[in-house]
Amino acid sequence: MTISPFLEYEIQLLSAYSSNQDVFDGCKHLVSDNIFLSHLTKSGFNVIKKLHSEGITPEPKIIFAELIKGGIPQTQAAACASWSGKYPSGQ
């Protein structure tokens, strides 16, 4: 499956946000779910944002569970959860 460059950027952003609280805190006033083109990445962003606000580290298994609770099909939730660990956080 080929991923579009726009989706690739969205995945990179989700990965950075999920793996690094400082990145999320530093950029949260600049980013909203309106910038995401995919319903799945938009849902992933909202889950990551929710988890950070609750002080929970957004690990892939937690993201997966939250997406399932939100009505995302399992295969899509698994894909989104796997994206959260796709790119290094720079740490």
Side-chain angles (χ1 to χ4, degrees):
M1 179 173 104
T2 304
I3 296 177
S4 76
F6 293 111
L7 182 57
E8 186 72 19
Y9 294 134
E10 290 181 13
I11 292 168
Q12 289 178 24
L13 184 59
L14 285 180
S15 176
Y17 272 10
S18 67
S19 62
N20 192 322
Q21 177 75 38
D22 293 336
V23 169
F24 185 82
D25 288 341
C27 297
K28 66 183 173 185
H29 66 286
L30 300 173
V31 178
S32 73
D33 64 359
N34 294 330
I35 68 164
F36 295 98
L37 300 176
S38 160
H39 172 68
L40 186 56
T41 52
K42 184 182 286 194
S43 297
F45 170 77
N46 285 324
V47 165
I48 291 166
K49 180 179 172 182
K50 174 183 175 273
L51 293 171
H52 276 309
S53 73
E54 294 174 355
I56 299 169
T57 302
E59 297 174 1
K61 64 182 179 180
I62 298 171
I63 294 170
F64 175 78
E66 290 294 317
L67 289 168
I68 295 296
K69 281 189 221 174
I72 301 295
Q74 284 188 353
T75 54
Q76 291 179 355
C80 189
S82 74
W83 296 339
S84 68
K86 185 173 182 182
Y87 296 92
S89 65
Q91 294 181 359

